[in-house]
């Protein structure tokens, strides 16, 4: 316990790393198998969650982190079963609360790589409040939002990302409420890292995870995920070889924002618009700046997939540097200790007006 | 003019005024002077929930009562001997509590036509003879203060504002209080505004001099120091003691404290206090709501911190699902409920004991949690340490039931020796515990305590998953097996029940061992019950007293104690919640006494109730 005086945590992980060193690394070679737990995976055959699991298991070894310093925290939903299938530390919590639980963990243990697994209902209905606050605080979390635009686990009610008019068991005449766009919501909450990817595109998914993991602070990654039981084909246009290259607007920092046939440019009304790629000069096309401190262009990009999925931006909308919550918290502890020295219990109790009897 | 000095053994003073009149500060200072002088003292602040109700109205009245004596006392007193009324509203709101013959000091400057009208007085009661049964000291406090501060470079408003210090000075003279500490306090408080500091000190001294010279006070009073147990003392409120207890628990357990909290009356001061002590490595997190507060605390506990959440009843309702998660994941967690009058928003600044059943049963499923209730403001320190001890040792959420009366009330606290504090250190599990020497079984229990191991993230080789779904005994894998569920339900219950072996027996105070009536209590009713028991005994009545600190599990001898008396009387500030439990569990015909007025019991009232029960024998 030699770190008591220096880091204000009085907490040393059993492997000797202190609470203020960042996540410890390993030199041991890791493979996908190291991250598979012994639990049987229980999603419906064909569910998009399988692809995401395989992509994550395949990606984690490249981080080179000690497995014991990785934690997956989830809420409730089909997607939230995820932690059971990974051989890391895991906490399958309650509906909507994973960002709050993970906030306590990440804020008090900067030596951990903390991942939140959540669904569209989990993150945006019951847990909406926790999500926006974790994002605005910039807690050092990687939040993977599995968006299948439906409640899977409760057997197919519409969700806060379902399109208006969705016919489900709870909305036989069609749903009435406008959906959230998770990217717009996250940008509105001042998230410092916001991205979107697709369950079936392993390469893209892993490239986004790589950036999310490297980002210090809260990263929100929306993953379009097919629920083949209750909302099959929700993202089929994006997977259809005949359509996908035209629909998908790739967001890559420093490159023009285009699909095979479309391009994004500044519109006369001050916003942005999608036009026929052949109709614009190359230098008219908007070049993506993920690091722009002003989120308004990223927000405009997030609105492009409305209303009918004719074109969908995929990639990192925004990635800006902002101090992470745990860093700021630890700095305050250090500052308090630095100016007045570490706390001494006896002095605390004897502080204030005391008097002696007898 | 020589003045007479009279000896008293105890006095109850109530300062009452408008919310903006600084009555809480005045009361705090008088308390500090009194504690320093060596009297025993107990206080009861009473303030409106509104921050600034319209000036001069009844809802805007704020008061501070303190009871001090030359012997040890147990309550802030039933009825004041002296009322300081800063305006007509304060007089009207408090007159009903003032026994005939008591003194009152009235700030006549505020008895203007307009102020009188605001509270429905047609004429000034000071002049119309309606106060003839009290000893009224009519003092123009405001104008005397302004006059005393002539020549000071401050506004008239600031001068008027110092009238509370004039009143404090007068009362300090009247009861022979030491004054140096208050002068020092004012210098510190207004360090950045030296003119205001000087003016307040001058007003304070002018109040004292006024007492010495005026003819309206011909007698002053002396109350000898009390003979308290030797030691070093400080005055402390329940919320502050509770916060200190949590800090002590962190130090004694060597676990960093993580507080997740959302502001709510009357619990917020614990959040405020802990936020000041970051150099103890304490992380305080003001969450977006109560659910996030407890969630973050639980997340921190998973990571090896001492997780704490502080709230009041409405917040406990919101936290219920997460507390259930803590029950089933078997992680240590301290949930502090500073109870207030409910249901719903109720009366935020008023006290009640109405959350007991919610603490015990307010969750889905069989979800047992230990429940602990402190008895006095300073006892909140030891109760917090005890809550931490049980949480950490048994890996369980613990409910700590304070209330508004304890939270804001204060009393002298004999400081404990640091060496006497319990050792709360825990060992995290760092090695596999399976029979094969390789696997880690997160739900393999300690056969003695039934606690499960606590392996925190960062521990190599012990990677495991926990969660709210039912777990298989031992391995912790998801299990829907009926027999396993039955077993786990019983194991979780058995673990909490077993804590009864690890807590002190219920002690009975029955000096001559011949009482036939037992008066039982829990939580903050300790003071009023004990004071009532004293009165009854002084009058020759035989009564035994016992007080429960552990509400779940109950001390092992509880049934035996209850059955060994002919009658058991249980006063509660609810409609009989503990009585319901004890009747069901021990089949004892408890006599309940219930008042739910948002106020503590009065000793006199309880003494009458006890006497009635004795007489009905
Ligand atoms: C407090 C609470 N309310 C409701 C539920 C029921 N419930 C479980 S999962 C779920 C919705 C899940 O939808 P989503 O987050 O989109 O996850 P998916 O199953 O689609 O992956 C609901 C309503 C619950 N478990 N807890
Ligand atoms: S219900 Fe849908 S989301 Fe859930 S496991 Fe089945 S396919 Fe996947
Ligand atoms: Mg869903």
């Amino acid at each position: 316990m030699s770190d008591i005086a220096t880091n204000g945590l009085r907490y040393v992980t059993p492997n000797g790393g202190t609470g203020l060193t960042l996540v410890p690394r390993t030199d041991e070679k890791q493979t996908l198998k190291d991250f598979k737990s012994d639990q049987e995976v229980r999603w419906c055959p064909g569910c998009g969650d399988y692809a995401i699991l395989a992509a994550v298991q395949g990606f984690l070894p490249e981080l080179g982190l000690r497995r014991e310093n990785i934690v997956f925290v989830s809420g409730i939903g089909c997607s939230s079963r995820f932690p059971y299938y990974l051989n890391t530390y895991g906490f399958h919590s309650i509906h909507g609360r994973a960002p709050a639980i993970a906030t306590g963990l990440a804020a008090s243990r900067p030596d951990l790589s903390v991942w939140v697994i959540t669904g569209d209902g989990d993150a945006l209905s019951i847990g909406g409040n926790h999500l926006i606050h974790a994002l605005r605080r910039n807690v050092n979390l990687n939040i993977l939002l599995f968006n299948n635009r439906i409640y899977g686990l409760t057997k197919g009610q519409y969700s806060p990302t379902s399109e208006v008019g969705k016919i489900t068991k709870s909305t036989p005449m069609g749903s009435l409420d406008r959906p959230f766009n998770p990217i717009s919501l996250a940008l509105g909450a001042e998230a410092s890292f916001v991205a979107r990817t697709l369950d079936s595109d392993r390469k893209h998914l892993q490239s986004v995870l790589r950036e999310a993991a490297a980002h210090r602070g809260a990263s929100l990654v929306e993953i379009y995920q097919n629920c083949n039981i209750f909302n099959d084909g929700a993202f089929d246009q994006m997977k259809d070889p005949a359509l996908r290259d035209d629909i998908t607007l790739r967001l890559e920092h420093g490159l023009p924002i285009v699909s095979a046939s479309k391009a994004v440019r500044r519109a006369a009304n001050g916003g942005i618009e999608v036009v026929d790629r052949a109709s614009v000069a190359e230098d008219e096309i908007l070049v993506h700046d993920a690091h722009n401190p002003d989120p308004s262009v990223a927000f405009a990009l997030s609105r492009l997939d409305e209303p009918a999925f004719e074109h969908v931006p995929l990639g990192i909308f925004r990635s800006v540097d902002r101090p992470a919550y745990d860093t700021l918290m630890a700095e305050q502890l250090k500052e308090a200790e630095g100016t007045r020295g570490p706390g001494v219990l006896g002095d605390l109790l004897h502080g204030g007006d005391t008097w002696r009897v007898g | 003019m020589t003045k007479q000095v009279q000896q008293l053994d105890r006095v109850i003073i109530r300062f009452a005024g408008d919310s903006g009149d600084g009555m809480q500060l005045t009361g705090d200072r008088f308390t500090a002077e009194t504690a320093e002088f060596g009297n025993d003292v107990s206080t009861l602040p009473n303030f409106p929930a509104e921050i600034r109700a319209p000036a001069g109205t009844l809802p805007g009245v704020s008061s501070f009562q303190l009871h001090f004596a030359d012997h040890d006392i147990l309550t802030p007193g039933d009825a004041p001997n002296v009322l300081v009324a800063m305006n007509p509203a304060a007089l009207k709101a408090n007159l009903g509590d003032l026994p005939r013959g008591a003194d009152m000091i009235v700030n006549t400057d505020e008895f203007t036509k307009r102020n009188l009208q605001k509270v429905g007085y047609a004429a000034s009661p000071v002049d119309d003879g309606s106060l003839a049964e009290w000893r009224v000291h009519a003092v123009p406090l405001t104008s005397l203060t302004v006059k005393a501060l002539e020549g000071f470079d401050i506004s008239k408003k600031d001068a008027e504002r110092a009238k509370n210090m004039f009143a404090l000075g007068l009362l300090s003279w009247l009861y022979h209080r030491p004054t140096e500490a208050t002068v020092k306090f004012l210098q510190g408080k207004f360090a950045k505004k030296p003119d205001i500091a000087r003016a307040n000190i001058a007003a304070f001294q002018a109040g004292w001099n006024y007492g010495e010279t005026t003819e309206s006070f011909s007698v002053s009073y002396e109350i000898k120091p009390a003979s308290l147990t030797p030691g070093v003392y400080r005055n402390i409120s329940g919320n502050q003691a509770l916060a200190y207890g949590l800090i002590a628990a962190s130090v004694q357990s060597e676990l960093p404290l993580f507080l997740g909290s959302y502001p709510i009356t009357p619990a917020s001061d614990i959040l405020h206090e802990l936020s000041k002590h970051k150099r103890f490595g304490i992380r305080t997190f003001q969450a977006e709501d109560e659910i996030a507060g407890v969630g973050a605390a639980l997340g921190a506990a998973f990571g090896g911190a001492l997780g704490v959440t502080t709230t009041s009843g409405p917040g406990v309702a919101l936290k219920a699902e997460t507390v259930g998660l803590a029950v089933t994941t078997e992680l240590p967690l301290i949930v502090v409920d500073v109870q207030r009058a409910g249901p719903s928003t109720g009366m935020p600044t008023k006290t009640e004991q109405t959350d007991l059943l919610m603490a015990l049963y307010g969750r889905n499923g069989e979800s047992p949690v230990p429940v602990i209730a402190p008895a006095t403001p300073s006892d909140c320190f030891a109760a917090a340490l005890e809550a931490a001890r049980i949480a950490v040792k048994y890996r369980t959420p613990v409910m700590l039931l304070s209330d508004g009366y304890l939270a804001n009330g204060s009393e002298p606290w004999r400081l404990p020796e640091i060496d006497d504090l319990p050792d709360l250190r825990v060992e995290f599990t760092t090695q596999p515990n399976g029979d094969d020497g390789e696997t880690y079984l997160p739900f393999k229990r300690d056969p003695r305590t039934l606690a499960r191991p606590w392996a925190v993230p960062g521990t190599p080789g012990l990677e495991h998953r926990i969660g709210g779904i039912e777990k298989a005994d031992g391995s912790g894998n998801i299990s829907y097996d009926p027999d396993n569920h039955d077993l786990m339900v019983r194991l979780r219950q058995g673990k909490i029940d077993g804590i009864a072996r690890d807590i002190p027996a219920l002690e009975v105070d029955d000096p001559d061992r011949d009482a036939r009536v037992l008066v039982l209590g829990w939580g903050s009713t300790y003071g009023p019950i004990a004071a009532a028991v004293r009165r009854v005994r002084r009058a020759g009545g035989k009564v035994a007293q016992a007080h429960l600190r552990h509400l779940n599990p109950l001390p092992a001898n509880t049934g035996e104690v209850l059955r060994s008396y002919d009658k058991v009387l249980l006063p509660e500030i609810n409609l009989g919640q503990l009585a319901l439990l004890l009747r069901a569990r021990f089949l004892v015909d408890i006599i309940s006494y219930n008042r739910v007025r948002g106020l503590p019991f009065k000793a006199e009232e309880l003494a009458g109730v006890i006497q009635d029960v004795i007489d009905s024998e």
Side-chain angles (χ1 to χ4, degrees):
Chain A
M1 294 278 172
S2 58
D3 292 281
I4 293 178
T6 56
N7 66 14
L9 269 171
R10 282 176 302 101
Y11 181 77
V12 176
T13 55
N15 64 8
T18 74
L20 283 188
T21 44
L22 298 177
V23 190
R25 307 180 62 79
T26 177
D27 294 331
E28 265 173 52
K29 198 163 159 33
Q30 297 171 331
T31 66
L32 182 149
K33 259 179 71 186
D34 292 315
F35 287 94
K36 272 191 171 166
S37 78
D38 58 356
Q39 299 297 296
E40 187 195 335
V41 184
R42 299 233 185 122
W43 290 305
C44 308
C47 175
D49 290 351
Y50 282 98
I52 305 174
L53 177 63
V56 170
Q57 285 169 335
F59 157 75
L60 287 175
E62 83 173 57
L63 289 179
L65 300 177
R66 301 182 72 132
R67 208 156 37 95
E68 62 270 20
N69 287 74
I70 301 176
V71 186
F72 279 79
V73 183
S74 63
I76 295 288
C78 295
S79 35
S80 288
R81 292 292 183 102
F82 206 86
Y84 289 115
Y85 310 135
L86 285 166
N87 195 10
T88 63
Y89 280 87
F91 198 158
H92 178 214
S93 71
I94 46 179
H95 202 19
R97 316 302 172 196
I101 291 169
T103 292
L105 183 63
S108 54
R109 292 287 307 270
D111 62 322
L112 301 177
S113 170
V114 183
W115 299 70
V116 170
I117 305 292
T118 180
D120 41 320
D122 196 58
L124 303 173
S125 279
I126 193 164
N129 198 27
H130 308 310
L131 181 77
I132 55 175
H133 287 277
L135 294 176
R136 96 178 150 87
R137 289 190 185 105
N138 207 28
V139 184
N140 192 26
L141 302 172
N142 304 302
I143 304 172
L144 309 187
L145 195 169
F146 293 24
N147 184 7
N148 53 14
R149 308 190 76 178
I150 202 81
Y151 283 2
L153 191 68
T154 46
K155 301 197 160 80
Q157 300 83 2
Y158 81 110
S159 91
T161 55
S162 299
E163 59 281 13
V164 175
K166 185 93 178 160
I167 308 273
T168 70
K169 274 179 228 163
S170 64
T171 50
M173 295 173 71
S175 60
L176 301 173
D177 23 344
R178 259 186 79 79
F180 269 137
N181 177 324
I183 302 289
S184 304
L185 185 82
L187 289 167
E190 306 263 335
S192 58
F193 184 101
V194 183
R196 175 189 285 148
T197 183
L198 187 63
D199 56 0
S200 57
D201 187 346
R202 176 184 297 212
K203 223 177 114 212
H204 188 259
L205 204 165
Q206 290 185 334
S207 73
V208 168
L209 294 184
R210 195 169 297 128
E211 298 289 327
H215 179 76
R216 235 187 112 61
S219 328
L220 180 102
V221 180
E222 179 189 21
I223 307 176
Y224 283 154
Q225 173 243 325
N226 192 39
C227 167
N228 55 308
I229 302 295
F230 296 112
N231 200 19
D232 196 20
F235 309 104
D236 268 4
Q237 305 101 299
M238 303 191 59
K239 300 178 182 179
D240 183 342
L243 297 174
R244 68 179 175 210
D245 293 342
D246 291 322
I247 290 179
T248 311
L249 295 163
R250 296 272 166 184
L251 299 177
E252 286 180 56
H253 180 71
L255 296 182
I257 305 170
V258 294
S259 73
S261 58
K262 298 174 188 173
V264 177
R265 72 165 178 195
R266 294 217 176 259
N269 69 2
I272 61 174
E273 62 187 353
V274 180
V275 293
D276 191 359
R277 190 170 171 179
S279 72
V280 281
E282 195 68 17
D283 62 357
E284 269 185 83
I285 303 175
L286 187 67
V287 173
H288 186 44
D289 179 6
H291 308 319
N292 188 349
D294 174 2
S296 55
V297 180
F299 187 82
L301 285 169
S302 78
R303 309 309 296 168
L304 290 181
D305 51 66
E306 302 285 310
F309 254 52
E310 280 165 25
H311 23 258
V312 181
L314 272 198
I316 297 161
F317 287 75
R318 174 174 164 85
S319 172
V320 295
D321 270 342
R322 192 144 69 79
Y325 189 70
D326 63 281
T327 310
L328 297 173
M329 212 178 209
E331 275 171 7
Q332 282 198 341
L333 300 201
K334 231 174 168 173
E335 188 190 327
E337 214 178 83
T339 44
R340 295 166 59 209
V344 176
L345 187 56
D347 295 353
L348 173 76
L349 302 188
H350 286 259
D353 298 339
T354 59
W355 69 95
R356 182 174 285 283
V357 171
Chain B
M1 184 170 100
T2 48
K3 295 210 173 184
Q4 206 187 324
V5 176
Q6 211 177 310
Q7 300 290 326
L8 295 176
D9 63 349
R10 64 188 193 103
V11 179
I12 300 163
I13 301 178
R14 186 181 293 178
F15 294 95
D18 203 57
S19 303
D21 285 343
M23 291 297 96
Q24 302 303 324
L25 176 78
T26 310
D28 276 342
R29 282 320 309 165
F30 196 91
T31 305
E33 293 173 359
T34 296
E36 188 198 336
F37 181 74
N39 294 126
D40 197 7
V41 55
S42 172
T43 72
L44 177 68
N46 191 352
F47 38 81
E50 295 79 10
I51 304 304
R52 287 274 185 278
T57 62
L58 288 172
V61 174
S62 162
S63 71
F64 187 104
Q65 179 165 316
L66 84 162
H67 179 187
F68 58 104
D70 67 0
H71 54 274
D72 75 305
I73 49 173
L74 296 153
T75 74
D78 290 357
N81 309 112
V82 186
L83 172 70
V84 179
M86 300 299 281
N87 65 8
L91 177 69
K92 188 157 196 187
N94 291 286
L95 194 59
D97 294 339
L98 204 63
R100 313 273 137 167
D103 284 281
M104 63 172 87
I105 297 169
V106 179
N107 179 13
T108 45
D109 286 330
E110 294 295 322
F111 281 59
T112 60
K113 210 167 159 195
R114 205 163 152 256
N115 284 349
L116 290 164
Q117 266 170 3
K118 274 188 198 167
V119 294
Y121 279 129
S124 173
V126 181
D127 305 324
D128 70 3
S130 61
L131 302 179
E133 289 170 74
W134 290 275
R135 289 201 301 198
V136 181
H137 305 268
V139 184
L141 282 168
T142 315
S143 48
L144 285 172
T145 308
V146 171
K147 201 149 156 247
L149 299 184
E150 265 170 20
F152 277 80
D153 191 16
I154 56 169
S155 67
K156 180 155 182 259
K157 212 164 171 202
D158 280 335
E160 286 177 354
R161 224 177 252 157
K163 64 183 178 291
N164 63 332
M165 286 301 113
F166 188 98
L168 179 64
L170 174 57
L171 272 286
S172 301
W173 169 81
L174 195 55
Y175 293 101
H176 296 235
R177 303 291 93 182
T179 55
E180 298 79 18
T182 293
V183 171
K184 247 204 188 137
F185 167 85
L186 290 169
Q187 281 160 348
K189 182 173 163 69
F190 298 110
K192 294 214 180 88
K193 299 178 188 160
D195 283 342
I196 303 284
R198 272 193 296 275
N200 272 281
I201 293 165
F204 177 60
Q205 283 158 348
W208 177 286
N209 295 339
Y210 175 78
E212 198 139 78
T213 50
T214 183
E215 286 179 13
S216 31
F217 292 94
S218 53
V219 188
S220 67
Y221 303 94
E222 255 179 21
I223 299 91
K224 292 228 155 56
S227 55
L228 301 171
T229 315
V232 177
Y233 284 77
R234 70 181 284 175
N235 198 59
I236 198 152
S237 73
N239 272 347
Q240 192 174 16
L242 204 151
Y244 282 10
L246 293 172
I247 297 173
S250 170
V251 171
Q252 294 302 101
S253 63
E254 296 185 357
L255 298 174
L257 181 62
F258 185 98
L259 174 74
S261 187
Y262 188 77
I264 185 169
T265 302
S268 301
D269 280 340
I270 305 173
L271 165 65
H272 303 162
E273 185 65 39
L274 288 174
S275 301
K276 288 193 252 174
H277 302 290
K278 294 196 192 323
R279 63 203 191 103
F280 282 87
I282 296 171
R283 287 175 157 78
T284 53
F285 171 62
Q286 182 176 317
E288 56 272 23
D289 60 22
E290 279 86 352
I291 303 174
V294 66
L298 185 63
F302 181 56
L306 183 66
V308 181
T309 189
T310 50
T311 189
S312 185
V316 177
L318 288 173
K319 292 173 196 291
E321 191 190 11
T322 311
V323 175
L325 180 65
V327 167
T328 202
T329 53
E330 303 191 42
L331 285 170
L333 179 72
I334 300 169
V335 181
V336 178
D337 176 4
V338 186
Q339 299 167 95
R340 66 187 218 186
S344 186
T345 305
M347 302 193 287
T349 55
K350 308 296 173 196
T351 196
E352 232 165 67
Q353 296 184 298
T354 40
D355 293 350
L356 176 62
L357 291 177
M358 172 166 70
L360 277 160
Y361 298 116
R363 290 167 298 284
N364 60 308
E366 293 290 354
S367 178
V369 298
V371 180
I372 294 171
T376 72
S378 68
D379 184 43
C380 290
F381 178 84
L385 271 168
E386 175 68 350
R389 180 185 76 87
I390 290 177
V392 166
K393 180 168 176 184
Y394 293 90
R395 325 277 204 244
T396 177
V398 175
M399 286 274 185
L400 187 54
L401 286 185
S402 178
D403 62 30
Y405 171 58
L406 296 179
N408 292 316
S410 73
E411 63 180 357
W413 176 36
R414 191 165 61 86
L415 298 175
E417 294 296 332
I418 303 294
D419 291 345
D420 295 344
L421 297 179
D423 182 353
L424 303 182
R425 281 176 297 182
V426 268
E427 269 187 51
F428 292 137
T429 302
T430 56
Q431 298 301 323
N433 59 354
D435 290 337
D436 60 3
E438 280 176 22
T439 27
Y440 173 57
L441 302 172
F443 283 81
K444 182 174 168 183
R445 292 166 193 281
D446 177 316
R448 236 169 6 94
T449 60
L450 294 182
R452 77 176 189 89
W454 190 8
V456 302
T459 316
L462 306 191
E463 294 83 3
H464 66 282
R465 276 66 56 192
I466 59 170
I469 302 192
E470 185 61 285
K471 299 290 182 286
D473 182 31
S475 76
N477 291 332
I478 291 179
S479 170
Y480 285 90
D481 178 71
D483 290 331
N484 176 73
H485 178 56
D486 187 76
L487 175 69
M488 291 298 272
V489 166
R490 287 171 200 280
L491 280 171
R492 286 186 289 260
Q493 184 70 47
K495 178 176 83 169
I496 303 306
D497 291 348
I499 297 170
R501 291 190 296 269
D502 191 17
I503 59 175
L506 178 59
E507 267 181 52
V508 182
D509 169 37
D510 186 358
D512 301 322
R513 305 190 154 276
D514 55 356
R516 295 319 314 147
V517 173
L518 171 73
V519 51
L520 180 73
W522 69 275
S524 73
T525 52
Y526 172 77
I529 293 177
V533 163
R534 271 191 197 169
R535 285 180 189 221
V536 169
R537 286 180 186 159
R538 235 183 280 131
K542 301 275 185 195
V543 60
Q545 188 196 354
H547 205 74
L548 285 166
R549 170 194 210 66
H550 289 270
L551 282 314
N552 194 41
L554 292 162
N557 65 333
T558 305
E560 190 189 317
V561 168
L562 299 183
R563 286 188 205 101
S564 55
Y565 288 87
D566 292 348
K567 289 195 170 142
V568 179
L569 171 67
L570 174 49
E572 293 181 82
I573 308 180
N574 58 37
L575 292 183
Q577 298 194 5
L578 180 62
L580 175 83
L581 295 174
L582 298 179
R583 281 169 159 259
R585 168 105 182 259
F586 301 110
L587 302 177
V588 169
D589 192 13
I590 306 274
I591 303 167
S592 268
Y593 179 73
N594 311 107
R595 285 288 179 278
V596 201
R597 305 173 61 241
L599 294 169
F601 286 120
K602 293 189 166 163
E604 188 185 354
E605 165 193 16
L606 289 183
V609 174
I610 296 168
Q611 195 58 54
D612 285 349
V613 173
I614 294 173
D615 293 344
S616 71
E617 268 273 287

